[in-house]
């Protein structure tokens, strides 16, 4: 028997963007009793309808959601109490346009996406809906046949609003770790700092834990983060603390020798051996990446406040080259040399 919402029926949840994150989050909600509809590409929907959803995580938990426990559709309909937008940032406006004229006024729409400002794009297109920003703080790997595996720790974090009260119960039962924040923006900027590792991981061709266990790759991430922190400081942006150490300290710790880093930042490496970044998955599948909403956000902020960001700009160029067919696997030393050269050239040009 499905749990009842305040309206007297099971909460109806539409997941717009049935990718790894959307299927995992939506699957957990379906397992908790929500009436979930996945909207996505026919290939993915066929897989879900054939195999159902097998949801696992690095802690050893497993849940099976049979195909008759959810719905699938290639286009969204208006019968939703809650819409989770989980498409890539490049598809935000298109996704919101698909919902325009379909959703009833007052429908709650959560943007569970990377980057800053997706909720503003959605809100402009859906002015009669309650649009809230959010983010998924964990990584999910799609292993085919409906198997979605959470490979890192984390929660679903959202901007707090009273309209979320009606969904609190199903999120609590889902085990997703639903966290509501009065100030989500500082957390979004902090998550962006962590996501600057996505291009490094994608270019490395290695699983996350292996990549982060290599000092040269971590030095690359440190350079990108320190640029970002300088730009944020100039813009008076104060990112939240998401790791055991403050962002500025963690950026310095990344450069420590491997043994010291493992001892001091063991929780950072508490990652499933198979986990990889979503950007690595996108490159492997030949899809456009979210690099403009990650490093691109830092480059834009730097330009606005007069802080140079050559390292993030170089990461954009390398990922863009990979998107356009210039695919190669960068060793830590090779990638570090590229970023250090970009920083030196920028300093020389300004000198």
């Amino acid at each position: 028997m499905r749990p009842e919402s305040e309206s007297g029926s099971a909460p109806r949840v539409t997941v717009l963007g049935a990718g790894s994150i959307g299927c995992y989050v939506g699957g957990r909600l379906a397992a908790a009793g929500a009436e979930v509809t996945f909207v996505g590409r026919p290939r993915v929907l066929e897989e879900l309808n054939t195999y159902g959803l097998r949801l696992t995580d690095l802690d050893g938990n497993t849940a099976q959601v049979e195909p008759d426990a959810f719905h699938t559709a290639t286009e969204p309909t208006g019968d939703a109490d809650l819409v989770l937008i989980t498409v890539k940032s490049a598809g935000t406006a298109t996704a919101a346009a698909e919902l325009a004229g379909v959703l009833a006024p007052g429908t709650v729409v959560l943007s569970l996406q990377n980057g800053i400002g997706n909720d503003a794009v959605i809100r402009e297109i859906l002015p009669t809906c309650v649009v809230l920003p959010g983010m998924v703080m964990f990584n999910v790997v799609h292993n085919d046949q409906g198997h979605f595996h959470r490979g890192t720790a984390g929660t679903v974090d959202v901007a707090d609003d009273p309209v979320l009260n009606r969904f609190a119960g199903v999120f609590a039962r889902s085990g997703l770790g639903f966290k509501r924040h009065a100030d989500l923006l500082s957390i979004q900027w902090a998550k962006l700092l962590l996501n600057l590792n996505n291009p490094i991981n994608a270019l490395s061709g290695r699983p996350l834990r292996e990549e982060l266990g290599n000092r040269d790759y971590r030095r690359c991430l440190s350079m990108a983060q320190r640029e970002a922190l300088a730009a944020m400081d100039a813009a008076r942006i104060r990112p939240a603390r998401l790791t055991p150490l403050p962002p500025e300290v963690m950026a310095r710790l990344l450069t420590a020798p491997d043994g010291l880093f493992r001892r001091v930042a063991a929780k950072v490496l508490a990652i499933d051996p198979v986990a990889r970044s979503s950007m690595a998955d996108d490159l492997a599948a030949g899809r456009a990446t979210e690099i403009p909403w990650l490093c691109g956000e830092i480059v834009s902020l730097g330009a606005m406040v007069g802080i140079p960001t050559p390292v993030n700009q170089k990461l954009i160029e390398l990922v863009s080259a990979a998107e356009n067919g210039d695919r190669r696997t960068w060793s830590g030393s090779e990638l570090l040399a590229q970023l250090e050269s970009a920083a030196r050239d920028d300093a020389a040009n300004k000198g």
Side-chain angles (χ1 to χ4, degrees):
M1 179 174 151
R2 294 185 182 275
E4 293 187 350
S5 67
E6 290 180 359
S7 63
S9 60
R12 301 170 300 171
V13 180
T14 291
V15 178
L16 183 50
S20 297
I21 291 293
C23 286
Y24 187 86
V25 173
R28 286 291 180 187
L29 291 174
E35 185 177 326
V36 176
T37 298
F38 295 98
V39 180
R41 297 184 297 274
R43 177 185 59 79
V44 176
L45 300 182
E46 181 180 358
E47 179 183 339
L48 300 187
N49 288 325
T50 301
Y51 299 101
L53 287 157
R54 180 171 174 248
L55 309 172
T56 59
D57 61 36
L58 76 167
D59 302 314
N61 300 308
T62 301
Q64 181 69 39
V65 185
E66 299 300 333
D68 61 0
F70 57 82
H71 309 287
T72 60
T74 55
E75 295 181 355
T77 60
D79 55 347
D81 304 307
L82 172 67
V83 178
L84 308 180
I85 296 184
T86 57
V87 301
K88 300 293 184 182
S89 295
T92 300
T94 299
E98 291 179 14
L99 297 168
V102 173
L103 297 182
T107 301
V108 182
V109 180
L110 277 181
S111 163
L112 297 183
Q113 301 167 276
N114 286 329
I116 309 292
N118 282 301
D119 59 303
V121 174
I122 299 167
R123 195 173 294 111
E124 183 174 350
I125 298 172
L126 302 175
T128 65
C129 293
V130 180
V131 180
L132 300 172
M135 67 190 75
V136 175
M137 308 297 282
F138 49 79
N139 169 276
V140 175
V141 176
H142 180 195
N143 292 322
D144 297 324
Q145 296 189 358
H147 181 195
F148 296 87
H149 180 76
R150 175 174 64 81
T152 62
T155 54
V156 175
D157 290 31
V158 299
D160 197 12
D161 190 284
V163 297
L164 296 175
N165 292 342
R166 65 184 301 195
F167 309 111
V170 72
F171 269 99
R173 289 186 297 273
S174 73
L176 287 168
F178 195 54
K179 289 189 176 181
R180 298 159 65 169
H181 302 271
D183 174 24
L184 189 72
L185 189 58
S186 65
I187 296 174
Q188 286 180 302
W189 280 107
K191 176 72 183 313
L192 179 56
L193 280 172
L194 299 180
N195 281 344
L196 293 180
N197 186 57
N198 285 16
I200 297 166
N201 177 254
L203 294 168
S204 77
R206 291 164 169 77
L208 278 165
R209 191 164 75 179
E210 180 183 339
E211 174 243 319
L212 285 170
N214 181 292
R215 186 186 188 189
D216 283 340
Y217 289 127
R218 292 199 309 275
R219 290 173 68 189
C220 293
L221 176 57
S222 176
M223 293 178 71
Q225 286 190 348
R226 283 185 287 180
E227 274 189 0
L229 286 165
M232 291 180 193
D233 184 62
R236 294 190 172 89
I237 295 170
R238 299 290 178 263
R241 176 173 165 175
L242 300 182
T243 60
L245 297 172
E248 297 82 1
V249 178
M250 182 57 71
R252 294 196 297 271
L253 179 62
L254 289 168
T255 66
D258 291 339
L260 176 60
F261 183 79
R262 281 193 294 268
R263 289 194 299 273
V264 177
K267 289 185 179 180
V268 176
L269 296 175
I271 302 171
D272 193 284
V274 302
R276 56 188 180 266
S277 69
S278 59
M279 189 172 292
D281 290 339
D282 289 338
L283 282 184
R287 296 189 294 260
T289 72
E290 291 187 300
I291 195 69
W293 288 268
L294 300 180
C295 296
E297 194 75 54
I298 301 306
V299 171
S300 296
L301 181 65
M304 184 176 69
V305 296
I307 297 296
T309 54
V311 169
N312 282 278
Q313 180 61 49
K314 188 63 177 180
L315 286 170
I316 293 172
E317 293 170 6
L318 293 175
V319 171
S320 298
E323 288 177 329
N324 292 318
D326 185 11
R327 293 290 306 279
R328 59 165 293 183
T329 298
W330 293 85
S331 70
S333 59
E334 291 170 335
L335 185 57
L336 182 61
Q338 287 282 320
L339 302 187
E340 288 177 334
S341 176
R344 285 195 303 269
D345 290 346
D346 181 79
N349 291 336
K350 287 181 170 56

